[in-house]
Amino acid sequence: MRRLLLFMLPILIIVTIVLVLFGILQVRSEETKLLDELKRKARAVAESMELSVRHALINNDQRSIARLVERFQKRERVQGCAIYDKDGNVLAITDRFLEWKKQDRPYIKDLLAGPKAVPRGSVEKFKQYAVYSYVFPVLDDEGKIVGLEEILYDTSYVFTQLEEIWKRLTIALLTLLMLIAGISLIVQRRIFTDPVERLTEWFKKFQKGDIDHEHPIKDKGELGKLASEVEQVALGLRVARKVVTEEAQVRMQKAELWTEAKLRDLVRAKLGENALFVVSNREPYLHMINEATGQARCVRPASGVVTAIDPILRACGGTWIAHGSANADKKFVNSRNKLGVPPEDNRYILKRVWLTKEEEDGYYYGFSNEGLWPLCHITHTRPLFRESDWHIYRKANKKFADSVLEELPSKNPFIFIQDYHFTLLPQMIKEKRPDATIALFWHIPWPNPEVFSICPYQAEILDGMLGCDLIGFHVQYHCNNFIDTANRFLECRVDTEKFSIVRGGKETFVRAFPISVDMNINSSAGREDSNNVEKIRKEYELEGKIVGLGIDRIDYTKGLAERMMAIDRFLEKYPEYRKKFVFIQIGAPSRTHIKRYHDLMGELDELAERINWKYKDDEWIPIIYLKRHFSPEELKPFYRLADLCIVSSLHDGMNLVAKEYIAAKNDLNGSLILSRFTGAARELTDAIEINPYSVEEFAASIKLAVDMPPPERKRRMENMRKIIAENNIYKWAGNIITEMTSLRKA
Ligand code: F6P
């Protein structure tokens, strides 16, 4: 309140002074106007009488003089008249002014004695009245004064009017002062008190570790900017606090294998205060409105990038910049479009970048997924390169570049970009921040130069990527393809010893880093896990059945149709497994606005339906097709109960489902059927390898898996689990970060 008074008082004083001055001027001018009017009236009256008075005075006609004066008896407003002789004696005067005669009137003598006979008017006091007196000299033909006429008016109405003006001005002043006070109060509440109260409230929640996503600070103006700055610091602190708390535990652990803690130690030792910035198209946490309940919920999308990178940022903190694509995303960010994630245990910062529908169509659906995706996956789906998509793709890369640049610390930041959505981003960032160390990981295959030459924008894409200091692929074969492609289409020098590309004096290293999963997240097996497994077994009537499992985004690269056809052939060829074998296919709908994906959904529905119709009876169907998004927690029991898992991609960079299955099978009782066209097949050599295009081979592999003697199954599973335990996601990240820091700019 004191602050408000301090703020308002000067305004109120100034307004009062201005209004009072204005009032004085207004009243003065009104007074002058009214007196002028009186003077004019008086002169008119005097002039109209002049002839008669002169005549009466010259002839000393007392009766006429008295009559002339009598005319004023009945006039309103105490109007009166007096006639004087040339010596200033009153010859006649209106009755109501009889006492006027006793009044001291020096102006009469002055006028008669003065050199010039000019009329004059003035306000005089008479009893309780203020009277306006207008004295008019009456002259003879030679211009000598023969007497005077004095016209008298009551001026009280003039002063009443002036009083009225003062009254009105006072009311206006008071109203204005009240309005100013009211408006100031509202303004000060809106721009100061409310934001400060909100900020205070927010901080209270922050202190309790309860960040309020429902009401992010979204004030505009200077205070809003301050609040927003404070909010960023607070969010950073919160995330940092988690990391620091766990630092102590890290030092206690001296594990040989790569762990979350070991990675965190490495990051802190290598990057120091320079936090890691990750950029991807897909965000790790989506906020979606549940149409049934109208409630927003947080969802982890089905994405290899998310599966791999989320544990890394959970371990070492940092900022992940991604497209905010879900319908409730905007509700959960602060004034800088950021939030702490995971929502229940903030470990790092997610910054959401907003794209328009047009941008999403051109950059994500169009250029990335109708162009680059089929270009890089050899699955006989024709890539589509539209000029308009390319322009929007460039624009979206620029938008992400701006968003990244505004986050970077002043010195030597580390930026880790994900995938084919951002081929131009490295160059865009490098131009502005040559001190940044930039790595790009390409999560999908890289084709050979002949295939890549289909792309009309090959040179720009390669140039954009060579803004990186490091480019990673899952397997060496893709690294070789990339080096060959750059060599073929760009003017550059390839250093085959260092495995780098030098263009325009800038060197980019190319390395294979086979991505993986966090073994511990997937293999923990508590009572709750067993209960969940039993629940599913009951729900889908799987008791006593051999259960096969497939978990995929519904994508034409995943070989889903080939898989169903192989199941069909398996049941056809080995009828003894009918009623004994059930295959659960979990399919997360993906990129459904693209016709090819939309059509694929229809094809798969039809295929599953046809196969089920062919074999099913009242108690059994061979394929349970669950077509929706499942959270990682929901997937876990499916992995654990499956006797075999099928990954039949026609072409895949790595395929983390294969590795997640291995990680989840800590009972060692499961077989993996794995396409030879996945990156994972290079490491998981104890899987049953298939060519998904060969239906006979595929069906025979299913037979092999279900018939495999348990000791053999166990041996294979043990080997594969060892490989994943040793080459887990923390090792993958550790290798990339070590490589990045070795390339750090001085
Ligand atoms: O793993 C390859 C990849 O394209 C990732 O970049 C992506 O996150 C994932 O597949 C899922 O695809 P989308 O993000 O288009 O749903």
Side-chain angles (χ1 to χ4, degrees), residues 281-282 302-306 364 369 373 418-421 443-444 553 590-591 652:
N281 171 70
R282 182 63 62 208
S303 152
V305 169
V306 171
Y364 172 73
N369 286 317
W373 179 267
Q418 311 303 313
D419 242 338
Y420 56 98
H421 310 89
H443 289 258
I444 61 175
R553 268 186 317 105
S590 169
R591 307 173 189 168
D652 217 331

Side-chain angles (χ1 to χ4, degrees), residues 100 106 119 125 169 190 216 255 266 320 326 379 632-633 647 652 697 706-707:
W100 185 248
K125 264 207 92 53
L169 277 172
R190 297 244 19 205
L266 174 98
W320 186 332
T379 59
E633 289 66 36
V647 172
D652 217 331
E697 183 190 322
V706 294
D707 280 352

Side-chain angles (χ1 to χ4, degrees), residues 138-154:
V138 182
L139 310 177
D140 62 10
D141 292 343
E142 285 152 21
K144 283 192 191 147
I145 293 179
V146 289
L148 300 170
E149 289 174 43
E150 185 176 24
I151 310 295
L152 297 158
Y153 278 99
D154 172 14

Side-chain angles (χ1 to χ4, degrees), residues 193-210:
T193 318
D194 283 355
V196 168
E197 273 174 9
R198 271 201 299 277
L199 194 59
T200 313
E201 195 48 35
W202 192 89
F203 264 103
K204 271 190 204 151
K205 290 193 172 159
F206 173 73
Q207 288 295 359
K208 288 187 214 150
D210 176 19

